[in-house]
Amino acid sequence: MHATFPLGRPAGIRVGAHWSVLLTMALLAWLLSRSLLPDAVPGRSPLVYWATGTVGAVVFLASLLVHELSHALVARHRGLTVESVTLWLFGGSTELTEEAPTPRTAFTVAIAGPAASLLAGAGFLGASLPLPGATGVTLAWLGWTNLVLAAFNLLPGAPLDGGRVLQALVWRRTGDKRRAQAAAARSGQALGLVLAALGLAWLLWSGSFAGLWLAGIGWFLGLSARAELAVGPARELLGRIRLGEIMTPVPVTAPGWFTVQAFVDQAAAARFRTYPVVGFDGRPVGVVSLALLARVPEQERAATRVEDVCARPPVCPVATPETPLTAVLGRIGGRPGQDLALVVADGALVGVVSPADIARTLELAVLGAKARRPAR
Ligand SMILES: [Zn+2]
C-alpha cells in the first residue's frame, strides 16, 4: 500500500495515508452525524452533529494510527527495521522490511497493536462517563469502536494480528516457522470466507451498509491470506540464500573525498550507474548514483564532495555476507541511490547486491540452478 499523503515521521517512522482513507473518514463522519448522534442526542442543529461527527471520525483514524505505531515502535525496539506505516480503506498497515527472528519477537510485535487499541478503548470509555451530550456519545463510540477493533484484529487468521499471534504460537510449538506461516495463512483464508459470507448475509438480511463493509474486509482478508500462502515457498527459498553467495564482489567504488566533478570524469570510463562510496580509510560510507550526482548544479560540482551528496544508511541497506536475501529484498527499491545493498565484513566493503544480482538469482532459481560466486 503506497501512501498518497505523507503525514510525517514520528520517531523516524514514515507515516502516510492512502487516498482511500478519505472514504473511511467520510463514511464514519456520516454515520456519526446522520444516524448515531441524532438518535442519541436529538434536537441539536445539524452543524453540531457534523462538527462532532467529523472530529470523532478524525480521532478514530488517529487511534488507528496509534494501533499501527505500537506495532512499529515495538518492532523497532526489538531491533527490526520499520519501513512505513500507512492508513487506508480497511485500517492501517505497518511494513517491516525483515521478519521477526524469534517467535517471541513475532508475538510481541503482533500483540502490541490490539493492546494499544484495548487501552485506547478503555480510555475513551472512561473519559465519556462524566460527559453529557454529543461529546460524551462520541467518546463512548470511540471507546467501543477501539474495543471492537482490538477484538476483530485478534481473530486468528493472517494477515490479522491474531493470525500473527497464532503463527508465533505454532512456530514456538513446532520450531518450524514456514509451517506456522502456512497454518496462519490457511486460517486467514477460512476466516476471510466466513466474514465475507456473514457480511453478505447481513447485507441481504438488513440492507445494512455495514454488511457490505464486512464482506469487503472478508474478501480482502481471504485474498491476502491466499497471497501469503503462494509466496511461502518462494520466501523459504530466498530465506536460504545469503548475500555472500549472490553479491558482486568488490566492485568499482566511488572515493567519498573526490569532488563530484573528479568522480564524474572517472565514472565516464566505468560501466555502472550506481556506486558504493568509501571513505579515505576504506570504510563504506553510502551509495551514489549518476542520477543523484546529476542533481548537483554544474557550478557546484568542483566544490562538492561525493560523500556529501551520497545516500547513507539507513536509506541504503548495509548487510553482512551471512545476511539472508529476504532481509534486504524489500529495501533495494530501484530508486536512484537506493538500489544497492552494501555488503560489509569486518568494517570493510566486500561486495554489493544490486537489483540485477537479485533478478539473476531468481531467474537461476527458476531454471533450477543456484547462483555461484564467479570464478576468478
Ligand atoms: Zn494491528
Side-chain angles (χ1 to χ4, degrees):
M1 190 57 51
H2 279 280
T4 323
F5 323 101
L7 295 177
R9 281 179 166 273
I13 295 163
R14 209 169 72 225
V15 175
H18 186 249
W19 64 264
S20 59
V21 83
L22 292 176
L23 280 178
T24 315
M25 197 172 90
L27 197 77
L28 292 174
W30 184 80
L31 178 83
L32 274 167
S33 347
R34 290 303 299 274
S35 134
L36 210 105
L37 289 172
D39 287 352
V41 262
R44 309 285 166 86
S45 81
L47 189 70
V48 170
Y49 293 141
W50 274 107
T52 321
T54 307
V55 171
V58 170
V59 174
F60 175 72
L61 291 177
S63 57
L64 210 57
L65 203 56
V66 168
H67 172 115
E68 295 304 327
L69 279 174
S70 306
H71 287 304
L73 289 173
V74 169
R76 216 176 54 174
H77 182 70
R78 292 243 154 199
L80 298 172
T81 311
V82 180
E83 176 75 15
S84 59
V85 165
T86 311
L87 289 184
W88 70 296
L89 184 63
F90 290 138
S93 73
T94 299
E95 287 181 29
L96 306 176
T97 46
E98 49 196 325
E99 294 183 359
T102 63
R104 196 189 173 83
T105 299
F107 178 86
T108 323
V109 172
I111 206 81
S117 294
L118 210 64
L119 280 179
F124 283 125
L125 277 182
S128 76
L129 288 178
L131 288 170
T135 312
V137 171
T138 307
L139 281 172
W141 174 82
L142 281 168
W144 286 113
T145 39
N146 269 288
L147 291 182
V148 168
L149 185 73
F152 178 79
N153 269 296
L154 282 172
L155 290 176
L160 293 178
D161 297 333
R164 304 281 178 234
V165 168
L166 175 73
Q167 185 178 323
L169 295 177
V170 175
W171 182 9
R172 193 190 170 126
R173 229 191 142 85
T174 62
D176 187 339
K177 184 177 176 181
R178 299 298 157 194
R179 206 172 110 193
Q181 277 177 342
R186 257 182 239 112
S187 177
Q189 262 190 313
L191 191 65
L193 207 65
V194 170
L195 291 180
L198 279 177
L200 282 180
W202 189 1
L203 178 69
L204 293 176
W205 185 258
S206 67
S208 162
F209 194 80
L212 188 64
W213 195 254
L214 187 64
I217 289 179
W219 176 73
F220 171 72
L221 183 65
L223 277 188
S224 312
R226 205 176 73 174
E228 284 200 10
L229 265 183
V231 301
R235 272 205 160 265
E236 188 180 350
L237 175 78
L238 296 181
R240 277 189 268 130
I241 297 173
R242 309 279 146 181
L243 294 185
E245 300 166 40
I246 65 158
M247 69 184 187
T248 302
V250 190
V252 182
T253 57
W257 66 94
F258 267 37
T259 64
V260 171
Q261 189 56 57
F263 179 66
V264 168
D265 292 340
Q266 184 184 317
R271 298 177 31 98
F272 303 100
R273 296 170 64 208
T274 312
Y275 298 83
V277 180
V278 290
F280 205 64
D281 54 359
R283 287 187 177 265
V285 175
V287 169
V288 80
S289 62
L290 297 182
L292 213 55
L293 293 177
R295 288 199 212 149
V296 180
E298 204 173 343
Q299 64 274 18
E300 288 171 26
R301 286 182 195 156
T304 309
R305 288 180 312 163
V306 171
E307 63 185 5
D308 296 331
V309 292
C310 72
R312 286 167 180 264
V315 174
C316 61
V318 177
T320 68
E322 287 75 42
T323 305
L325 173 56
T326 40
V328 296
L329 203 55
R331 297 172 64 195
I332 304 181
R335 278 169 285 180
Q338 262 175 270
D339 45 7
L340 216 52
L342 302 176
V343 186
V344 176
D346 299 324
L349 182 74
V350 291
V352 292
V353 175
S354 67
D357 291 321
I358 294 173
R360 179 174 135 265
T361 306
L362 296 179
E363 284 157 5
L364 279 172
V366 170
L367 290 165
K370 198 167 180 254
R372 278 193 307 265
R373 291 183 68 163
R376 299 238 222 172

